[in-house]
Amino acid sequence: MSAMIECEGVTKAFGGIVANNEITLEVPEGRITGLIGPNGSGKTTLFNSIVGYHPVDAGSIKFEGREISDLRVQQIARLGLLRTFQQTRIYSKMNCVDNMLISVPHRTQTYRTMFSKYPPEVTERAEDLLEFVGLYEKRFLISGDLSFGQQKLLEFAMALMNEPRLLLLDEPTAGINPTLINGLIDRLRRATSELGVTLFVIEHNMPVIMGLADNIYCLANGRLLAHGPPEKIQNDQRVINAYLGAHYYLDSD
Amino acid sequence: MNTRLRRTLPYAGLLIAGIAAPFLFPDYTFQFTVLWVMILFALTWDILGGQMGYNSLGNIAFFGVGMYICAVVQIGLYYDVAQYTASYGAVKVEFTAEQYFTGLAVGLIAAGLGAMVFSVILGWVVFGLRGPYFAIGTLGVALSAGELTGAWDYVGGGGGIALPIYPGEPDDRSLFFYALCFVLAMILFFLLRWIYLGRFGLAANAIRDDEEKAEGMGIHTMRYKTVGWAIAAFFLGISGALFGNMIGFIEPLEVAFPTVTFGLFMVVMCLLGGRGTLWGPVIGATLFHTFKEVTWTYLLGWQWVALGALIVVSVVFFQQGIVGWVKEKWPEKFGIAVDDRALAETEPDLDEAPSQRLRRQTEAAQ
């Protein structure tokens, strides 16, 4: 099992606040890896660093063995490394099918294909993926008019349309109605098992992430606190303390 | 067949109206010509302003650049431009018919290409700006382009240039320019219809809705913006060249770079008709131009007030523009509806058909 993402000593500070402090972690191919930690622990900052949203202060980030910390967002996306946003972001004035169509992989796009139409198999794939997330009937609606949960599903489908090798999901179940969550978890698993997409997931919902991930990393105050399989993380006293805000006592132990 | 006919009808109507207009109302040929120029203004502005959400207030610069490039080419092919402009028309220069048409043809092409090159260089500088900063930045470019041209003696400075005189009857002349403007507007209209239906249109809309997301999905945003602006500049450059020749005399502030009149009209026409739609700019330009001409004739003295009132009403009550308002009122006519047929079918089997097809596609892709 080779590592898809290898972060080594990644550090990122905003002024005096060190959001990521020498984070070293690996995301293995073909698996679902979780990233947890209390609010403000630096999870989203790490995601932003990986996808090239901002330069890192120190450390190296490798994607499939290739250094990507000096590439820009679009270049990284075209390599097949994609992220979804915590505040769902879709093209809100376009309908769902158009949202899907414009999300095709852009690595092979040239000046000539800018003006071309979409072949029928691309439209078919877009509709299949919309059906996969349960939005097929609403495919001609303006995406901004969908409910928040549906927009989240659409964003997930758009990411799959891009045929990524690795997908970073920032709180995929936040704001989704509890009855839909099971369906979503099932889709996430199938994205990995059937479509071959490796997932790296930030999640606050503990039952969800414990059931979903093969391996979990826990951040606290910008540092890597613990990592291991869900059972181990669940019973790790440091993780429990971090979530309950008891880690100051821990330091004095 | 029936729906197909109904869909083709507006396009056919536009073509027929364009061909018939100067023959039905020969007295208004000049007005119709200006109308096509207005439609060109609105359509070119809408590529970035409507489809991509980049509100440029400086597109008029491409119009002026094209106008001046064409004039310099037309004269420069046969005479020394500096000498020609220094004489302020005191030296009578004659152009033969052949010289006139050759000069115009070469000049129009040079105007389009020159404006395009200008837009690419300019885009490289200003596309880093977003929102209001982009609008103000481009406005500054247009204003300074006018002032700079006015201070440049080679092209006649503030005194302007008299263009070669059309070798023929005045009626032929107006028909000639009408035909050129009409054909140019139609080429642009059908070109835009074609590219808006494909990848370009979707990418433009994606940039408008959320540029950061578009970047995150790997879309070549800079490329789409540059190409969109280059298309606008190409057609505006040629429009400027044609308009300059129609007027016969060009000068920097009122004719070539009229930032506060034509430069703003193109924005208002798009807002009125419905930005980000294909027909919006055409409808907006037609209404705007008609309204403007009627008030200029019957409300003289109050014409600017009437125009201002129109702008206020359209911005306050029709923010989506006419086409946008119709779209909002009857969304199902535009295909924006829940697919009842799919809904009526039994609950789609999520575990079977689609996922198998997806898996097959994924395997084929790898």
Side-chain angles (χ1 to χ4, degrees):
Chain A
M1 195 60 56
S2 62
M4 243 185 170
I5 286 276
E6 292 165 272
C7 290
E8 185 124 5
V10 172
T11 301
K12 176 71 190 173
F14 299 102
I17 297 167
V18 185
N20 283 161
N21 197 346
E22 299 197 1
I23 307 267
T24 299
L25 53 76
E26 273 187 12
V27 178
E29 185 177 351
R31 297 289 185 83
I32 301 178
T33 305
L35 182 62
I36 62 170
N39 288 323
S41 60
K43 304 181 297 294
T44 301
T45 302
L46 184 64
F47 267 27
N48 284 338
S49 300
I50 292 174
V51 299
Y53 187 73
H54 50 218
V56 293
D57 297 337
S60 103
I61 301 169
K62 287 206 177 91
F63 174 60
E64 299 191 304
R66 178 181 171 177
E67 183 66 36
I68 55 165
S69 56
D70 52 351
L71 296 183
R72 286 181 297 114
V73 172
Q74 284 141 309
Q75 294 169 316
I76 292 174
R78 277 174 228 142
L79 290 177
L81 200 174
L82 224 61
R83 64 94 57 93
T84 65
F85 291 86
Q86 198 172 346
Q87 298 83 15
T88 304
R89 295 177 87 154
I90 48 168
Y91 308 122
S92 58
K93 288 184 189 135
M94 296 159 66
N95 73 28
C96 297
V97 174
D98 288 350
N99 265 279
M100 295 295 288
L101 289 178
I102 196 54
S103 302
V104 293
H106 288 270
R107 40 191 163 267
T108 55
Q109 299 286 300
T110 63
Y111 278 96
R112 239 170 0 132
T113 59
M114 281 178 81
F115 302 110
S116 60
K117 300 232 170 7
Y118 291 96
E121 59 268 21
V122 173
T123 315
E124 197 173 84
R125 185 178 163 82
E127 292 183 343
D128 286 351
L129 279 168
L130 283 172
E131 189 159 350
F132 181 65
V133 296
L135 286 175
Y136 182 75
E137 297 78 30
K138 307 204 167 174
R139 66 193 185 281
F140 295 127
L141 294 186
I142 302 297
S143 63
D145 296 341
L146 299 175
S147 74
F148 181 76
Q150 288 168 336
Q151 292 187 13
K152 220 142 185 160
L153 289 167
L154 176 63
E155 192 187 26
F156 175 57
M158 284 160 70
L160 292 181
M161 188 74 189
N162 204 294
E163 296 170 22
R165 306 268 297 121
L166 171 66
L167 185 54
L168 309 188
L169 297 164
D170 201 341
E171 296 196 32
T173 67
I176 291 200
N177 149 2
T179 56
L180 261 177
I181 286 186
N182 286 334
L184 180 67
I185 293 172
D186 169 58
R187 301 304 187 283
L188 293 179
R189 279 216 189 89
R190 281 166 53 191
T192 303
S193 61
E194 293 173 19
L195 306 178
V197 183
T198 303
L199 297 183
F200 190 24
V201 187
I202 292 180
E203 188 53 69
H204 273 306
N205 186 330
M206 285 306 133
V208 167
I209 195 69
M210 294 300 163
L212 187 66
D214 304 306
N215 209 340
I216 293 177
Y217 285 90
C218 177
L219 296 186
N221 286 333
R223 287 176 182 278
L224 193 61
L225 191 66
H227 99 269
E231 314 81 58
K232 195 179 148 206
I233 291 290
Q234 241 165 341
N235 300 316
D236 191 310
Q237 193 57 40
R238 292 171 303 170
V239 176
I240 296 167
N241 288 344
Y243 267 93
L244 298 177
H247 59 282
Y248 296 109
Y249 301 107
L250 198 89
D251 286 343
S252 59
D253 275 353
Chain B
M1 188 62 212
N2 201 4
T3 48
R4 194 159 166 196
L5 187 72
R6 213 173 49 213
R7 286 212 185 120
T8 331
L9 220 53
Y11 298 99
L14 189 69
L15 278 172
I16 292 167
I19 294 166
F23 298 105
L24 291 176
F25 308 99
D27 294 347
Y28 293 98
T29 307
F30 180 77
Q31 283 309 331
F32 289 137
T33 316
V34 178
L35 173 60
W36 288 114
V37 174
M38 290 291 167
I39 290 176
L40 279 158
F41 279 163
L43 282 171
T44 50
W45 188 84
D46 198 58
I47 301 174
L48 250 77
Q51 300 285 347
M52 287 196 199
Y54 268 78
N55 301 317
S56 161
L57 292 179
N59 275 9
I60 198 70
F62 305 134
F63 181 77
V65 165
M67 192 183 285
Y68 268 94
I69 288 177
C70 184
V72 169
V73 168
Q74 277 177 283
I75 296 159
L77 276 180
Y78 306 105
Y79 296 97
D80 181 53
V81 179
Q83 225 172 14
Y84 181 93
T85 50
S87 75
Y88 288 109
V91 183
K92 268 268 168 269
V93 261
E94 297 288 339
F95 289 84
T96 63
E98 195 197 328
Q99 283 180 337
Y100 180 86
F101 289 113
T102 316
L104 186 65
V106 178
L108 288 177
I109 294 165
L113 295 179
M116 204 159 144
V117 170
F118 179 54
S119 81
V120 171
I121 297 168
L122 188 61
W124 189 63
V125 180
V126 297
F127 277 139
L129 304 172
R130 304 268 158 99
Y133 301 101
F134 180 78
I136 299 301
T138 47
L139 177 67
V141 170
L143 289 172
S144 51
E147 295 297 333
L148 285 173
T149 314
W152 191 12
D153 285 336
Y154 178 74
V155 293
I161 315 179
L163 288 171
I165 295 156
Y166 180 83
E169 298 299 315
D171 282 352
D172 294 346
R173 179 181 187 271
S174 34
L175 260 184
F176 174 71
F177 283 110
Y178 177 86
L180 286 178
C181 290
F182 168 62
V183 169
L184 186 68
M186 282 302 102
I187 292 174
L188 175 63
F189 181 74
F190 286 101
L191 173 76
L192 291 181
R193 187 185 119 81
W194 176 55
I195 67 174
Y196 286 166
L197 282 174
R199 262 168 230 256
F200 183 89
L202 290 187
N205 290 167
I207 292 170
R208 174 197 65 195
D209 284 355
D210 191 337
E211 187 168 353
E212 222 170 70
K213 169 80 178 175
E215 285 172 356
M217 296 293 283
I219 299 179
H220 301 76
T221 49
M222 188 69 182
R223 190 185 283 180
Y224 280 98
K225 288 189 281 188
T226 309
V227 169
W229 223 18
I231 295 172
F234 180 77
F235 283 89
L236 274 173
I238 299 179
S239 314
L242 285 174
F243 192 76
N245 273 284
M246 262 164 63
I247 302 291
F249 174 81
I250 66 176
E251 58 81 52
L253 297 183
E254 296 288 321
V255 183
F257 300 96
T259 314
V260 290
T261 50
F262 288 170
L264 288 184
F265 289 172
M266 50 175 90
V267 185
V268 175
M269 291 185 291
C270 283
L271 294 183
L272 183 66
R275 61 195 300 189
T277 60
L278 179 65
W279 281 94
V282 177
I283 293 168
T286 310
L287 281 178
F288 181 87
H289 187 60
T290 312
F291 181 84
K292 185 170 154 287
E293 289 310 314
V294 168
T295 51
W296 252 248
T297 311
Y298 299 105
L299 271 176
L300 204 62
W302 289 89
Q303 77 273 36
W304 286 105
V305 178
L307 198 63
L310 176 74
I311 294 172
V312 170
V313 168
S314 71
V315 168
V316 173
F317 296 104
F318 291 97
Q319 279 181 1
Q320 323 264 51
I322 294 162
V323 175
W325 179 77
V326 171
K327 227 174 181 167
E328 197 166 74
K329 194 101 179 166
W330 295 281
E332 64 285 350
K333 290 262 184 247
F334 294 83
I336 304 168
V338 174
D339 188 348
D340 293 328
R341 225 172 19 189
L343 205 61
E345 284 170 18
T346 48
E347 191 65 14
D349 189 357
L350 285 172
D351 300 313
E352 271 313 308
S355 73
Q356 268 172 4
R357 197 147 51 143
L358 277 175
R359 204 177 324 173
R360 210 177 50 234
Q361 285 167 351
T362 312
E363 276 161 9
Q366 279 166 358

